């Protein structure tokens, strides 16, 4: 089947302006040393019987980055606007001092000299910048090692901010089709817009913990399924 797409001049101008704004936001984040872990994602091609026939890296384009930038901005805006109500935040707390000291020792082994003066997002951003000129394999290994030093992001009814993104307010709001906490954020928004009362705090806290544990379970399942299919592909 052949498809013909018609694009209006107005749409092209809007996308062009959006791309300009994306570059401004990215430049600001770069100057603020916001952490940028851009790990490659794996794509597996299957045959008609569900067997893996190829494993490759998922290509990323400027359009991916444009959507990502505005999704983060939307998440921040919603969390900030509704911070006066009990809300579902996506938090990322400051790394523990002991974990930072251990990271420094590990980096020394790989010839990377970096002494943390303070536990800030910018400090980690400066460290990631030191990996930029290293060979890909070593750079990605050190980036993952650094990432493991950071505390794990989670859901909370109390706002602790997002360390990695260097944001005071952050939520998950933009993917209600695939992520349950986002759907809850949408329902909370509508509930408050309709003049509804705040939810029960104990139940709400338990719900946030449940979302965090289910997210980790899903992430582990996804990782394991990819590893399984990679091994199955390599069998041949």
């Amino acid at each position: 089947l052949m498809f013909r797409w018609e694009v209006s001049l107005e749409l092209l101008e809007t996308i062009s302006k959006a791309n300009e704004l994306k570059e401004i936001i990215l430049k600001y984040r770069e100057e603020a040393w916001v952490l940028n872990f851009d790990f490659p994602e794996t794509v597996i091609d299957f045959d008609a019987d569900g067997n893996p026939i190829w494993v490759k890296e998922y290509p990323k384009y400027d359009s991916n980055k444009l959507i990502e930038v505005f999704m983060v901005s939307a998440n921040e805006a919603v969390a900030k606007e509704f911070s006066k109500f009990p809300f579902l935040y996506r938090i990322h707390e400051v790394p523990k001092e002991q974990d930072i000291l251990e990271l420094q020792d590990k980096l020394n082994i790989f010839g990377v000299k970096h002494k943390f003066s303070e536990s800030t997002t910018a400090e980690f951003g400066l460290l990631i910048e030191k990996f930029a000129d290293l060979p890909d394999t070593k750079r990605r290994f050190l980036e993952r090692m650094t990432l493991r030093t950071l505390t794990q992001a989670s859901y909370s009814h109390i706002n602790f901010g997002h360390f990695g993104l260097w944001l005071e307010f952050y939520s998950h709001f933009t993917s209600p089709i695939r992520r349950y906490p986002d759907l809850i954020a949408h329902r909370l928004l509508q509930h408050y817009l309709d003049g509804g009362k705040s939810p029960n705090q104990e139940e709400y806290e338990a719900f946030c913990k449940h979302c965090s544990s289910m997210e980790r379970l899903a992430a582990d399942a996804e990782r394991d399924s990819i590893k399984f299919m990679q091994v199955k592909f390599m069998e041949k």
Side-chain angles (χ1 to χ4, degrees):
L1 289 174
M2 295 291 291
F3 292 94
R4 183 183 174 197
W5 297 96
E6 292 186 3
V7 179
S8 68
L9 182 61
E10 183 183 7
L11 178 59
L12 287 174
E13 289 175 349
T14 301
I15 293 173
S16 178
K17 288 176 182 175
N19 196 58
E20 288 176 18
L21 183 54
K22 176 206 74 176
E23 293 300 325
I24 292 170
I25 294 171
L26 287 177
K27 188 173 189 301
Y28 165 76
R29 289 185 185 173
E30 185 180 328
E31 290 173 352
W33 295 104
V34 173
L35 301 188
N36 180 27
F37 292 106
D38 196 16
F39 298 126
E41 295 180 43
T42 304
V43 177
I44 301 172
D45 290 335
F46 297 93
D47 62 18
D49 297 319
N51 297 308
I53 55 175
W54 196 247
V55 178
K56 57 190 176 184
E57 186 175 316
Y58 179 81
K60 284 193 174 181
Y61 306 102
D62 281 345
S63 54
N64 295 93
K65 183 59 70 175
L66 186 145
I67 292 167
E68 180 185 303
V69 163
F70 285 115
M71 286 175 73
V72 169
S73 297
N75 287 338
E76 180 190 10
V78 167
K80 185 175 182 179
E81 180 67 23
F82 284 84
S83 59
K84 53 184 173 287
F85 300 102
F87 201 62
L88 184 65
Y89 296 99
R90 178 67 170 175
I91 62 165
H92 188 216
E93 297 184 73
V94 178
K96 296 179 177 65
E97 185 178 355
Q98 183 59 38
D99 291 338
I100 290 176
L101 292 173
E102 288 178 8
L103 175 63
Q104 283 182 176
D105 292 339
K106 290 175 183 175
L107 289 171
N108 276 327
I109 296 171
F110 292 95
V112 178
K113 305 293 182 184
H114 187 86
K115 185 170 178 60
F116 284 84
S117 57
E118 53 185 348
S119 303
T120 63
T121 307
E123 191 78 36
F124 273 85
L126 285 166
L127 172 60
I128 299 300
E129 187 69 14
K130 288 185 177 181
F131 304 155
D133 296 328
L134 297 175
D136 270 1
T137 305
K138 185 176 182 180
R139 174 178 60 80
R140 287 177 176 176
F141 173 78
L142 292 177
E143 284 179 348
R144 288 186 186 278
M145 188 171 74
T146 302
L147 179 63
R148 283 195 288 270
T149 302
L150 302 175
T151 55
Q152 199 164 21
S154 61
Y155 296 101
S156 174
H157 67 302
I158 301 173
N159 181 31
F160 291 102
H162 198 291
F163 179 82
L165 294 172
W166 199 52
L167 293 173
E168 184 180 356
F169 301 96
Y170 196 66
S171 65
H172 268 171
F173 163 79
T174 51
S175 299
I177 293 173
R178 69 180 179 90
R179 205 161 47 195
Y180 190 55
D182 300 59
L183 182 61
I184 294 303
H186 280 249
R187 288 174 176 170
L188 275 172
L189 275 144
Q190 192 61 57
H191 176 72
Y192 291 139
L193 288 170
D194 292 339
K197 296 180 181 178
S198 299
N200 178 283
Q201 285 300 297
E202 287 185 11
E203 291 180 5
Y204 197 41
E205 183 179 1
F207 172 77
C208 291
K209 289 179 179 177
H210 175 75
C211 283
S212 297
S213 63
M214 290 299 100
E215 178 197 30
R216 286 172 197 136
L217 188 66
D220 289 343
E222 182 182 10
R223 257 193 307 270
D224 289 346
S225 67
I226 290 172
K227 287 178 183 176
F228 174 75
M229 287 300 173
Q230 286 172 326
V231 171
K232 196 172 181 182
F233 171 74
M234 293 301 294
E235 271 184 330
K236 301 174 184 177

